[in-house]
Amino acid sequence: GSGCAFPAQSLPAFLREQILPLLPPAWFVGAARALQLDDATTAAWVPALVKLTVAGLLLGAGAAWGFRRRLRRGVL
């Protein structure tokens, strides 16, 4: 699990084992820990960088689309 905001051990086992690994903070924390423990090879951080970049682009595009849609409707 990520454990970057609070100890992951305080969560129920289902959340800790099934949900937390799917969240971007877990990708970042995993890569950071791997860099600290391993010999800092690219294999430790490149997959996390790719996943975080793709997630950022997708979420940013979704937010921009939603914002433009609301502007057209006059909600904002």
Side-chain angles (χ1 to χ4, degrees):
S2 92
C4 60
F6 52 85
Q9 292 78 14
S10 65
L11 293 173
F14 172 76
L15 289 175
R16 187 175 57 246
E17 296 167 6
Q18 303 298 323
I19 304 299
L20 284 182
L22 302 175
L23 299 177
W27 306 337
F28 174 77
V29 170
R33 286 182 181 156
L35 284 171
Q36 289 175 340
L37 299 175
D38 293 338
D39 59 356
T41 62
T42 57
W45 58 269
V46 170
L49 176 66
V50 170
K51 288 193 284 187
L52 288 167
T53 301
V54 169
L57 290 172
L58 290 174
L59 292 171
W65 175 78
F67 184 71
R68 287 182 184 159
R69 188 172 153 216
R70 285 181 157 196
L71 277 177
R72 274 188 248 125
R73 287 183 175 175
V75 175
L76 294 176

